[in-house]
Amino acid sequence: MTIEPTELRDDTIIIVFGASGDLAKKKTFPALFGLYRDGFLPNGVKIVGYARTKMDEAEFHKRSTSYIKDPDQSQAPKIEEFKKLSSYVSGGYEDSASFENLEKHLKSIESAYQSKVTNRVFYLALPPSVFLPVAENLKKHNYASGVNRIIVEKPFGKDLDSSRELLGALKQHWTEDETYRIDHYLGKEMVKNILILRFANVAFSAAWDNRSISNVQITFKEPFGTEGRGGYFDEFGIIRDILQNHLLQVLSVLTMEQPVSFAAEDVRDEKVKVLRSITPIAREDTLLGQYVSANGKPGYLDDDTVPPNSSCPTFAATTLWIHNPRWEGVPFILKAGKAMNEAKVEVRIQFKDVPPGLFGNISRNELVIRIQPSESVYLKMNAKVPGLYTRALPIEMDLTYKRRFSDSKIPEAYEALILDALKGDHSNFVRHDELDVAWKIFTPILHWIDGKEGPPPRPVPYPYGSRGPKELDAFVNKFHFTRSSTEYSWPITNVANL
């Protein structure tokens, strides 16, 4: 029997751990403000920041609102209201006394609530090294009389064994229903839109298999490097940072079978099923790169926080194979890199060639889902060039969100996910078995890169600000990818120049 989730409407405190850190400042607090401004937080909600840093509330309010976008000062009154419902407590992450002090602060807030049954949401914007002591202390000292929920940020371990150890320890204190493992890509508008595109459009669903699709690329590009934070990045690398979580989540939504309903467990069941059909990544299906200085920008190894001669990849392309009747034989190429030529996250589904005969060298159809920036969906297709002769030319059917939905605000991913957690909706959070199978896919390749099975591979160099390693074209081409005709330009084609 399915138990309906409890939506938190009243008498709720949201406690943000790591409140002095970058993640909280840049993402968590702006998202909470967005929900407050639009009336989505529970009635009478209070927000408490908690961190080791000692600061007064004026300094905390300054930090927590510093990344709220308000160019014309129109939101100033709301920001002031938001400050008044927020407070700050400093303390450690491992000693009982700090959590007892936090409990006194929470009790003083709750004494003003009319109900004696109060709710608490704990948001851990923290490094994984302190997840467990915080989770244990929260359960021991700060567990409320009503509903309790804990939101945990990635990374969830470094490989299969460490993930299982972390999950097992967390489960000793918090149930699966109380735990929300956040991957903010599942909150992005275009990722959530994939389910609608697939299952609400017969035109797409009919061609969504290995009979029609040649290959799929899921691409993540950042135009900047580690910028002095290479020491942290070097511990994890681009695969743990982006591929194993963000891009694999996109792939699971893209390839899962139709769920029985949009209920959380029905959706997550199908995601786990398709992930279980993926074999661990092979070394020969992997290309690793590391950016070097170019265009006046420093290379990865020029970052003083990076260990000398580090072989940590800042770029990776890996190919996954799904062994089920729908997807057998279709390569799914996941690519991610830092210090590249642009900022972009997209899914590119390339269909097979038109049967030979009527047409000669004609471009393949492609369905492109642009996740960010400038959210869009476009179908690259062939059409007749206007005029008195018959000639096919690649064009696109374009749905760019900011044009089509000009009066709509696309919510930030963290806004959507925090709201889901308040509603008790697990649909867009990572379940424990989903996380386990994700690590099974990537752990062998990670152990190879980490040098646990002999000397680690040396990533190939690529210039800062480039498309990636020069070997990339040959890598994707061996998996059946065909680059579009040089005649194609998006979004305007000047026929006079053809």
Side-chain angles (χ1 to χ4, degrees):
M1 184 179 72
T2 303
I3 300 174
E4 286 297 315
T6 302
E7 182 174 357
L8 304 182
R9 296 178 182 273
D10 303 285
D11 303 329
T12 299
I13 304 177
I14 300 170
I15 305 98
V16 179
F17 283 79
S20 62
D22 272 1
L23 177 61
K25 183 170 63 175
K26 294 178 181 178
K27 297 294 184 182
T28 313
F29 287 119
L32 287 169
F33 172 74
L35 292 172
Y36 172 73
R37 178 196 59 214
D38 297 336
F40 287 111
L41 291 185
N43 297 322
V45 69
K46 298 293 181 183
I47 296 167
V48 176
Y50 184 97
R52 292 191 182 110
T53 305
K54 292 189 182 301
M55 56 180 162
D56 60 23
E57 291 207 346
E59 174 62 21
F60 167 65
H61 289 149
K62 182 180 177 182
R63 288 195 190 193
S64 63
T65 58
S66 60
Y67 276 80
I68 293 173
K69 297 173 184 175
D70 187 23
D72 59 359
Q73 303 297 306
S74 61
Q75 300 182 87
K78 277 291 182 184
I79 292 174
E80 289 306 311
E81 290 177 20
F82 183 70
K83 289 178 180 178
K84 288 176 182 175
L85 60 85
S86 306
S87 57
Y88 181 75
V89 176
S90 67
Y93 292 137
E94 301 186 42
D95 61 297
S96 296
S98 291
F99 288 84
E100 289 169 3
N101 183 50
L102 172 63
E103 181 65 12
K104 290 177 185 175
H105 184 73
L106 299 179
K107 288 287 190 187
S108 68
I109 293 172
E110 290 170 341
S111 64
Y113 289 151
Q114 291 188 355
S115 171
K116 297 304 176 189
V117 179
T118 55
N119 311 305
R120 296 176 183 176
V121 176
F122 303 99
Y123 192 116
L124 273 55
L126 294 168
S129 57
V130 293
F131 279 175
L132 294 183
V134 170
E136 182 178 357
N137 275 302
L138 287 176
K139 185 61 181 289
K140 185 176 180 181
H141 301 288
N142 308 114
Y143 201 74
S145 57
V147 174
N148 294 268
R149 289 173 184 156
I150 185 167
I151 303 173
V152 185
E153 280 277 358
K154 76 169 187 71
F156 314 111
K158 294 185 71 175
D159 58 11
L160 182 60
D161 288 342
S162 61
S163 174
R164 284 179 172 174
E165 183 180 346
L166 185 62
L167 287 175
L170 200 58
K171 281 183 180 179
Q172 292 178 24
H173 310 291
W174 294 83
T175 68
E176 185 67 17
D177 280 347
E178 292 173 325
T179 306
Y180 293 75
R181 299 176 196 87
I182 196 168
D183 184 323
H184 73 272
Y185 265 61
L186 289 174
K188 289 187 176 293
E189 184 71 19
M190 295 308 295
V191 175
K192 295 199 290 185
N193 193 27
I194 289 172
L195 292 179
I196 305 298
L197 287 173
R198 284 194 60 192
F199 301 124
N201 296 288
V202 173
F204 287 153
S205 60
W208 213 268
D209 58 29
N210 53 11
R211 291 171 298 178
S212 301
I213 293 174
S214 167
N215 60 85
V216 178
Q217 293 189 57
I218 306 175
T219 302
F220 173 99
K221 289 184 176 184
E222 279 184 340
F224 49 83
T226 52
E227 316 297 345
R229 300 188 66 203
Y232 172 82
F233 179 84
D234 203 81
E235 186 181 349
F236 295 98
I238 196 71
I239 292 180
R240 289 185 180 93
D241 197 37
I242 303 297
L243 275 75
Q244 184 273 340
N245 40 74
H246 298 332
L247 301 195
L248 191 66
Q249 286 296 330
V250 175
L251 181 143
S252 66
V253 176
L254 197 71
T255 58
M256 60 185 262
E257 295 299 319
Q258 181 170 319
V260 174
S261 75
F262 280 131
E265 296 315 304
D266 290 337
V267 172
R268 300 202 295 182
D269 284 347
E270 295 302 334
K271 288 170 65 183
V272 171
K273 282 181 189 176
V274 75
L275 291 177
R276 283 181 175 153
S277 301
I278 301 174
T279 48
I281 299 164
R283 297 180 185 184
E284 59 269 23
D285 289 346
T286 304
L287 173 65
L288 305 173
Q290 187 183 87
Y291 68 88
V292 296
S293 60
N295 307 311
K297 295 287 189 177
Y300 180 66
L301 296 180
D302 298 324
D303 186 332
D304 291 339
T305 65
V306 171
N309 299 316
S310 169
S311 59
C312 175
T314 61
F315 172 93
T318 60
T319 306
L320 281 65
W321 304 90
I322 301 174
H323 298 292
N324 65 19
R326 180 184 293 274
W327 296 116
E328 190 69 53
V330 176
F332 289 83
I333 305 165
L334 275 53
K335 302 182 298 179
K338 287 184 168 292
M340 300 192 75
N341 62 327
E342 60 182 330
K344 181 173 76 173
V345 183
E346 72 174 23
V347 176
R348 184 173 296 268
I349 300 166
Q350 189 171 78
F351 294 88
K352 292 184 176 180
D353 289 321
V354 174
L358 191 59
F359 299 100
N361 184 22
I362 193 169
S363 289
R364 287 176 168 180
N365 296 146
E366 290 182 352
L367 178 64
V368 180
I369 304 168
R370 177 69 61 87
I371 296 171
Q372 69 181 48
S374 187
E375 294 88 346
S376 62
V377 181
Y378 62 94
L379 177 64
K380 196 182 293 183
M381 55 188 287
N382 295 295
K384 178 184 173 297
V385 176
L388 298 175
Y389 48 88
T390 301
R391 182 184 175 190
L393 184 75
I395 62 163
E396 71 291 317
M397 295 177 66
D398 169 29
L399 166 58
T400 297
Y401 270 51
K402 65 184 178 184
R403 288 203 301 264
R404 183 63 178 84
F405 304 109
S406 59
D407 59 343
S408 296
K409 172 188 173 290
I410 295 178
E412 293 293 331
Y414 278 92
E415 289 181 39
L417 292 175
I418 292 172
L419 181 59
D420 283 346
L422 292 170
K423 290 179 176 178
D425 182 355
H426 277 89
S427 302
N428 296 308
F429 293 87
V430 183
R431 201 167 67 187
H432 64 99
D433 53 345
E434 186 180 348
L435 185 59
D436 197 72
V437 73
W439 279 118
K440 284 181 182 177
I441 295 167
F442 281 92
T443 291
I445 205 81
L446 288 169
H447 283 181
W448 172 54
I449 293 168
D450 291 342
K452 294 184 177 180
E453 299 174 0
R458 196 75 206 173
V460 297
Y462 65 96
Y464 195 119
S466 67
R467 289 180 54 245
K470 64 180 187 302
E471 295 84 356
L472 180 58
D473 284 342
F475 179 83
V476 296
N477 289 346
K478 74 177 181 179
F479 296 111
H480 322 310
F481 176 74
T482 300
R483 195 161 294 283
S484 295
S485 162
T486 55
E487 295 177 309
Y488 177 77
S489 61
W490 187 82
I492 297 171
T493 299
N494 189 334
V495 179
N497 293 332
L498 295 176

